Amino acid sequence: MAVWPAWELREHGSVTSWYAVRLDLPDGGRIDVLAVVAGGGVSIEEVRAQPPLSLGDLTALADWIEEPLLEATGVDSRSPYEHLGAPADRHPPAWPRGVEGWRLVAEEYRAAQTEGVDPVYAVMCATGRSRRRSLKLIAGARDAGFLTPRHARG
C-alpha cells in the first residue's frame, strides 16, 4: 500500500487531512482511494478500483486501509468517539424509553458538546440508532426539558 498526502485543513485546533492511497492487488488489480483522516479515524471520500469491488469488499475497504494509513501518517488511532461504540452496530444496545431515555440522551449530548465532538453523532453512537432517530430522541429530550430549546419560534 502506498500513501501520499493530498491536502490538509487546520481549523479551531483540529486537523483534517486527505490522503491518496493506492493498493496494488496480487491479481494485477488496483484500488485508488481518497481517504480523510480526522479525529483518529478514517473516512473514504472516493474509490476507483480495477476490477470493480463487490459491495462486501467496498464496505470492508475502510477497515483494510485504516491501520496502515494511520501508521503511515503517524496519527493517533484513538477516536474521540472510542468510548461511545459504533452507530452501525447490527444490534443496538438496549436504550430506555421515555423520560429515562431522554435524560440519558441529554447527558450524552452535553458531554459531547463539552468534549468538542459532534453531539448528534455521540447520541447515534450511544443509542445505536440512525441519525434521524437520534435527532428524534434529542427533540424528545428538548421537549421534556432536559436540553435547552434550539431557537425561539416566532
Side-chain angles (χ1 to χ4, degrees):
M1 184 174 100
V3 178
W4 300 276
W7 64 89
E8 184 174 271
L9 174 67
R10 293 178 182 269
E11 184 177 50
H12 304 294
S14 65
V15 178
T16 303
S17 303
W18 284 260
Y19 292 90
V21 179
R22 173 168 289 161
L23 292 115
D24 292 315
L25 304 175
D27 63 357
R30 184 171 84 195
I31 303 172
D32 290 312
V33 177
L34 180 61
V36 180
V37 177
V42 173
S43 299
I44 295 176
E45 291 275 323
E46 183 177 321
V47 176
R48 293 183 184 173
Q50 197 56 274
L53 295 174
S54 70
L55 185 57
D57 289 343
L58 187 59
T59 58
L61 183 60
D63 292 333
W64 293 348
I65 68 170
E66 183 174 34
E67 284 303 317
L69 180 60
L70 292 175
E71 286 176 17
T73 59
V75 173
D76 184 1
S77 64
R78 287 176 294 145
S79 167
Y81 306 114
E82 190 173 272
H83 69 285
L84 300 174
D89 289 344
R90 290 196 186 275
H91 304 289
W95 194 259
R97 294 180 177 264
V99 174
E100 181 62 19
W102 293 327
R103 185 185 61 75
L104 293 173
V105 164
E107 288 176 8
E108 288 292 335
Y109 189 93
R110 284 192 300 272
Q113 284 181 319
T114 302
E115 293 173 16
V117 297
D118 180 8
V120 176
Y121 187 74
V123 171
M124 290 170 61
C125 291
T127 63
R129 304 299 194 276
S130 69
R131 182 171 184 81
R132 173 186 273 172
R133 290 196 179 189
S134 294
L135 287 169
K136 285 183 179 181
L137 287 171
I138 292 166
R142 285 189 197 290
D143 291 344
F146 292 111
L147 293 171
T148 57
R150 279 199 60 78
H151 49 49
R153 295 180 181 170

